[in-house]
Amino acid sequence: MSDSHDSENPQQNPASGVSVVLEPRPERRLIRAGGSSAYLDFVVRVAESAVREQPQRPPLHVALVIDRSGSMGGGKVETAKTAALSVLSRLTERDTAAVVVFDDHIDTVQAEAPVTQLMRAHVTAELARIEARGSTALHEGWLVGCRAIAAETRAPAEAADGVRRCFLLTDGQANVGVTDPRQIAEEAVGVRQHAGVGTSTFGIGDDYDEELLGPLAEAGGGQFHHLRTPAEIATTFIGELEQMLGVAAQGAQLEIQAEPGVELEVVSAYAVRAGAAGLARWSLSLGDLLAGDERHVVAQLKFPARAEGGDDVRTVRARLTWHDEAGDHEGEWQSASFRYAASEAEWEAEPRDETVLHFAAQHLSDRTQRESIRLRKGGDRAGAMRAARTSLGTLAAMLPPADAVRLQEEQALNYTVAEVSEDFLDAALAKERYFRSQTRSSGKRDLRGGSGGPGFPPTPGTPGANPNTPGGPVDPNGAQQPPKPPDSK
């Protein structure tokens, strides 16, 4: 495998209208003779000026897919309808939109059409007739919405045809038609790649399935949102719309290649596709990148023992692909090289990149939070406890005891351990934790407005801290102990 560029000299594609830079940053470059692992942070940066001044912005194509099942009663469906109309009010005749509602039946309220005053009036009248009822054919409703705005072709000439996004809002679980989260997420990858439609999901209340909506949004190149109140529907809908206006690089993919025998495990919350058996190749969907974005895709590399007479150097390389108003682009391959240490003493003496370790610790903690929630919901308390304690041990080996990031993530994981031991799972808190862990680990923004509630302040002084990116402890009351189970009386 050739080494076109070292990770210390990142390049960008000069043919692109957008400056997108990839820099692979390893925590260390030495490998133990008997084999060892290392974290590698693939840093992706988009220039603040990436969205250039244009006579006209690219058009937007939006599908609004709204759950109207019986559980959406009590004002939620009315708020969702109002939010949908708010989105349409911000679009122009250059944009197109479609509106779909679903329970156990799917109704297309508005086929894709330019957003004119007449179209808005039609949608307003049609939505006024919609009432909460029935079950939840989530998969079919989502697909109908995606098909409504799908591009007829994904040829390079069509890359400038604007940004396509399906907004899926639900408060329930899929219980009609296809319901398997993994199958639906796999379909979202295909919809994104072949139809050019991204998917963002909006879960409201305590009953929706975050293990479906979270992976669906990541696989679809969009964002997952946990809405705590009906009022947050409009805020996040409009926030997503505003982000679509700032998209600099559409459909970004990170391609990674390693030499045979090297294993790779992605720690961050991105949808991953591995190459064919025996090929050390991986592809990650990063979704749409905004001007000024900085993403950190953390992976753990596992190197085999040095073969007798084998090469001392191992190389991992990666590149970005994306499209923008100028067409489709492939960035140059960027490489990170690793060398087998001559002795154990040399390996132990090598300093480690603290910033890389900080991101690795945060994303590892985030992944464990999501995994523990999944195990708890499935009744596997022992597995949830084991996952949290294993991550605590990993953090202890990665960072010194007084490290601020280690202390923060240990607090979150210790809370998980205590919560599991109390055999108490608060549904609202679990969804908030899941949302925050996925949002931070995927480099997205919290679009709900405000601080996100007490006990969840942004985390100052941590790598890549963003005032809109969640962090901090996971107890919404700011306490160090888990909530007590409700009184049994």
Side-chain angles (χ1 to χ4, degrees):
M1 183 179 297
S2 63
D3 225 358
S4 60
H5 294 280
D6 188 81
S7 63
E8 296 177 355
N9 185 29
Q11 303 290 315
Q12 68 187 60
N13 189 341
S16 172
V18 173
S19 174
V20 184
V21 175
L22 171 65
E23 180 188 5
R25 294 187 58 179
E27 57 143 320
R28 66 192 314 158
R29 293 180 178 272
L30 293 180
I31 312 169
R32 271 179 162 155
S36 59
S37 64
Y39 291 102
L40 181 57
D41 182 9
F42 296 95
V43 186
V44 179
R45 298 187 182 92
V46 185
E48 286 281 0
S49 59
V51 179
R52 301 179 299 179
E53 291 294 329
Q54 302 179 50
Q56 288 185 319
R57 64 166 173 79
L60 304 182
H61 309 279
V62 180
L64 299 165
V65 180
I66 299 172
D67 184 351
R68 62 162 176 205
S69 61
S71 58
M72 285 288 288
K76 284 187 284 187
V77 73
E78 294 302 321
T79 305
K81 291 190 289 185
T82 300
L85 294 174
S86 296
V87 169
L88 295 181
S89 72
R90 286 164 170 78
L91 298 175
T92 72
E93 294 187 16
R94 298 188 63 252
D95 308 308
T96 66
V99 182
V100 174
V101 295
F102 69 92
D103 44 53
D104 46 339
H105 293 85
I106 316 300
D107 287 322
T108 300
V109 172
Q110 173 66 59
E112 184 184 23
V115 183
T116 63
Q117 185 174 353
L118 183 62
M119 185 264 222
R120 293 189 193 97
H122 169 74
V123 173
T124 300
E126 290 298 312
L127 286 180
R129 301 186 179 98
I130 302 300
E131 296 181 353
R133 67 180 200 188
S135 301
T136 310
L138 183 151
H139 170 261
E140 186 180 354
W142 163 69
L143 271 185
V144 169
C146 291
R147 289 171 182 149
I149 59 169
E152 294 183 2
T153 174
R154 284 289 298 114
E158 298 295 321
D161 189 31
V163 182
R164 300 174 186 272
R165 185 73 54 80
C166 177
F167 291 4
L168 170 64
L169 182 138
T170 180
D171 76 333
Q173 302 188 27
N175 53 28
V176 175
V178 178
T179 61
D180 179 60
R182 181 171 297 182
Q183 180 180 344
I184 296 174
E186 289 176 353
E187 286 190 46
V189 174
V191 168
R192 178 71 182 177
Q193 292 179 343
H194 303 300
V197 178
T199 297
S200 287
T201 58
F202 302 76
I204 183 167
D206 298 338
D207 295 325
Y208 72 85
D209 186 358
E210 66 272 18
E211 294 172 41
L212 188 160
L213 297 189
L216 172 56
E218 278 305 326
Q223 184 167 349
F224 161 59
H225 305 274
H226 167 56
L227 309 180
R228 297 158 295 189
T229 66
E232 290 182 342
I233 297 175
T235 304
T236 52
F237 268 36
I238 299 306
E240 274 265 350
L241 187 64
E242 291 174 350
Q243 285 197 157
M244 289 174 68
L245 293 171
V247 169
Q250 298 180 43
Q253 297 274 333
L254 176 64
E255 299 176 2
I256 306 172
Q257 294 184 3
E259 296 172 358
V262 177
E263 299 178 9
L264 178 143
E265 179 183 358
V266 176
V267 180
S268 305
Y270 289 100
V272 184
R273 280 193 165 184
L279 295 178
R281 296 179 181 177
W282 302 266
S283 176
L284 286 74
S285 173
L286 305 186
D288 296 333
L289 302 178
L290 308 179
D293 258 358
E294 179 173 307
R295 302 282 188 90
H296 293 263
V297 184
V298 179
Q300 184 178 31
L301 300 169
K302 297 180 180 179
F303 297 99
R306 183 181 183 279
E308 188 68 31
D311 194 343
D312 277 342
V313 177
R314 296 277 182 162
T315 301
V316 176
R317 66 177 192 163
R319 72 172 179 181
L320 290 168
T321 64
W322 72 93
H323 56 271
D324 57 25
E325 76 277 4
D328 288 353
H329 304 285
E330 294 181 348
E332 295 182 357
W333 289 99
Q334 307 299 320
S335 300
S337 297
F338 302 82
R339 176 178 62 83
Y340 283 96
S343 65
E344 186 72 9
E346 183 188 17
W347 182 85
E348 290 181 348
E350 182 189 19
R352 303 167 75 183
D353 188 314
E354 186 179 81
T355 301
V356 174
L357 290 176
H358 281 169
F359 279 110
Q362 290 178 330
H363 293 194
L364 174 67
S365 174
D366 290 336
R367 185 178 67 177
T368 303
Q369 295 297 313
R370 297 191 301 276
E371 178 68 3
S372 68
I373 291 169
R374 183 186 69 80
L375 293 170
R376 284 290 310 285
K377 287 178 63 176
D380 187 1
R381 291 180 59 202
M385 184 82 76
R386 185 164 53 250
R389 285 178 171 164
T390 298
S391 291
L392 283 167
T394 302
L395 288 177
M398 289 170 60
L399 296 165
D403 183 271
V405 172
R406 172 178 165 177
L407 292 173
Q408 172 185 290
E409 303 312 324
E410 283 181 337
Q411 180 184 10
L413 292 171
N414 278 320
Y415 176 82
T416 298
V417 171
E419 182 188 49
V420 174
S421 68
E422 292 280 354
D423 193 22
F424 177 72
L425 181 65
D426 182 292
L429 175 56
K431 283 177 169 52
E432 183 71 10
R433 287 165 55 196
Y434 191 102
F435 162 74
R436 290 184 169 278
S437 67
Q438 178 159 323
T439 300
R440 180 174 70 168
S441 187
S442 60
K444 305 291 176 60
R445 296 170 171 84
D446 186 342
L447 301 179
R448 300 174 300 180
S451 66
F456 287 99
T459 309
T462 56
N466 183 314
N468 297 316
T469 302
V474 293
D475 181 353
N477 299 310
Q480 301 299 314
Q481 298 299 321
K484 297 298 182 183
D487 197 334
S488 59
K489 294 188 291 182

